[in-house]
Amino acid sequence: MANDMIHDIFSGQPNLTTTERAVSVALGLGIAAAAAQPRPNKVLSLLALVVGVGLAVRGATGHCAVKAAADHF
């Protein structure tokens, strides 16, 4: 069972709807763009950039590992 769950999570099969994908891309690009602005706290800017890129990639690929893991419970 554990091997099946790990395979499903990382298999990369699209598991997002078109709306979820569009929202992820839009939010991800918006957060990444906001993070690119100069700020006094560089760590928070880097964290926002990583989150934004992660959301954009999630939307572009249509696969969410968290959603895949949640479907098993």
Side-chain angles (χ1 to χ4, degrees):
M1 177 174 158
N3 288 336
D4 291 336
M5 185 174 81
I6 290 171
H7 175 70
D8 289 344
I9 291 171
F10 296 106
S11 66
Q13 298 298 320
N15 60 353
L16 298 176
T17 65
T18 304
T19 304
E20 289 172 322
R21 291 179 77 169
V23 169
S24 289
V25 169
L27 285 175
L29 292 177
I31 291 170
Q37 301 296 320
R39 306 236 188 268
N41 191 337
K42 303 292 184 196
V43 174
L44 289 179
S45 293
L46 180 62
L47 181 62
L49 183 62
V50 169
V51 168
V53 169
L55 280 171
V57 168
R58 172 187 186 259
T61 62
H63 177 73
C64 178
V66 174
K67 188 172 183 178
D71 288 342
H72 287 285
F73 294 106

